[in-house]
Amino acid sequence: MSQSLPAPPSALDLLAEGELEIVGQVPFSSNYVFVARACRDGDEALAIYKPRRGERPLWDFPQGSLAAREVAAYLVGVAAGWGLVPPTVLRRQAPLGSGSLQLFIEHDPERHYFTLAEGRLEDFAVFAAFDVVINNADRKAGHVLEDAGGRLWAVDHGVTFHPHEKLRTVIWHLAGAPLDAATIEGLERLRLALSPRGRLAADLGKLLSAREIGATRRRVDRLLNEGRLPEPTGDHHLPWPLV
């Protein structure tokens, strides 16, 4: 599945407007997940396609909302300047109906958070803050990817942005650590972008409820006010399985 990654604007156009062909299904996923090929004007790339109709019902998230949350997580990462999430769009015209389409990142599945953190733990400070902001309920180790150039990516953000505390993540090694400069700068960008007249707030308004956006804004404010990453609380701060 070797591919060269298009620049983000080109990738977004390719995902949003390219002709799609499903080439396989991702096994062992709780929801239906497919690998698709997007082609447009001679460019092509592989993508992860998650159709809404394949979402397994959850008691605590509205049915059919997970694809929109995947896109919302991408937009938050872009607005913060962290660029953690591969280009992602909400594709309404697709082989199995509306769903999220995310640029596929070629990676070694044996290199995930638990192996990567051994040599580059400091790189995960922004990941930890990002997960707090989006209230990620499922940050497994395998949801962190390393591409061929060594860049780290965050994927699988369907169960995010809940208005109540849902943080479940494996990234606790930096718990309680002061926020570093890159994290603070990103959070300050998010605070501005999430203001009632901010561009991000407007974009998220098409994907999330007003209550969910307000809770996201409060999480950004709390992180900046406290100046450090949170400590785990309660008995349900880890996802399962861990990888």
Side-chain angles (χ1 to χ4, degrees), residues 107-117 119-120 141-142 144-147 150 152:
H107 63 285
D108 178 355
E110 297 301 318
R111 290 183 63 76
H112 47 68
Y113 172 72
F114 290 135
T115 57
L116 293 166
R120 48 191 308 187
V144 174
L145 313 180
E146 181 188 47
D147 68 19
L152 298 177

Side-chain angles (χ1 to χ4, degrees), residues 111-187:
R111 290 183 63 76
H112 47 68
Y113 172 72
F114 290 135
T115 57
L116 293 166
E118 294 178 4
R120 48 191 308 187
L121 182 59
E122 67 282 355
D123 292 339
F124 286 100
V126 290
F127 281 76
F130 176 68
D131 281 346
V132 173
V133 169
I134 67 173
N135 199 15
N136 194 347
D138 193 36
R139 173 65 71 205
K140 296 180 175 67
H143 294 175
V144 174
L145 313 180
E146 181 188 47
D147 68 19
R151 180 172 175 175
L152 298 177
W153 298 91
V155 300
D156 282 302
H157 299 110
V159 284
T160 50
F161 295 102
H162 199 282
H164 300 305
E165 180 62 38
K166 294 282 185 179
L167 183 62
R168 289 190 290 272
T169 174
V170 296
I171 307 179
W172 288 115
H173 292 86
L174 295 168
L179 303 181
D180 62 17
T183 301
I184 292 172
E185 289 172 7
L187 290 171

Side-chain angles (χ1 to χ4, degrees), residues 10-230:
S10 175
L12 291 174
D13 289 343
L14 182 58
L15 294 174
E17 301 176 12
E19 182 178 349
L20 291 184
E21 174 192 8
I22 293 178
V23 296
Q25 184 172 359
V26 178
F28 312 119
S29 297
S30 56
N31 301 302
Y32 284 0
V33 180
F34 299 91
V35 178
R37 181 181 292 109
C39 302
R40 179 174 183 262
D41 297 333
D43 291 330
E44 69 173 56
L46 295 177
I48 297 298
Y49 169 43
K50 299 181 179 181
R52 279 174 161 160
R53 68 167 67 176
E55 294 179 8
R56 178 173 56 87
L58 299 173
W59 69 270
D60 50 351
F61 284 86
Q63 178 65 27
S65 72
L66 306 192
R69 297 172 194 278
E70 295 273 6
V71 180
Y74 167 70
L75 294 177
V76 167
V78 170
W82 295 328
L84 301 179
V85 182
T88 311
V89 301
L90 191 61
R91 180 76 182 243
R92 302 192 185 281
Q93 300 296 324
L96 295 176
S98 176
S100 64
L101 198 64
Q102 183 174 91
L103 193 68
F104 175 80
I105 301 298
E106 188 171 1
H107 63 285
D108 178 355
E110 297 301 318
R111 290 183 63 76
H112 47 68
Y113 172 72
F114 290 135
T115 57
L116 293 166
E118 294 178 4
R120 48 191 308 187
L121 182 59
E122 67 282 355
D123 292 339
F124 286 100
V126 290
F127 281 76
F130 176 68
D131 281 346
V132 173
V133 169
I134 67 173
N135 199 15
N136 194 347
D138 193 36
R139 173 65 71 205
K140 296 180 175 67
H143 294 175
V144 174
L145 313 180
E146 181 188 47
D147 68 19
R151 180 172 175 175
L152 298 177
W153 298 91
V155 300
D156 282 302
H157 299 110
V159 284
T160 50
F161 295 102
H162 199 282
H164 300 305
E165 180 62 38
K166 294 282 185 179
L167 183 62
R168 289 190 290 272
T169 174
V170 296
I171 307 179
W172 288 115
H173 292 86
L174 295 168
L179 303 181
D180 62 17
T183 301
I184 292 172
E185 289 172 7
L187 290 171
E188 289 176 340
R189 292 190 192 101
L190 285 177
R191 175 181 273 175
L192 181 61
L194 283 167
S195 64
R197 296 184 180 180
R199 174 64 182 272
L200 179 60
D203 289 341
L204 292 182
K206 304 170 186 176
L207 303 165
L208 305 173
S209 70
R211 187 182 181 198
E212 290 167 336
I213 296 170
T216 303
R217 186 181 297 118
R218 289 190 293 275
R219 289 190 293 268
V220 170
D221 288 340
R222 185 173 69 243
L223 271 173
L224 283 169
N225 292 339
E226 294 179 354
R228 63 182 60 251
L229 293 170

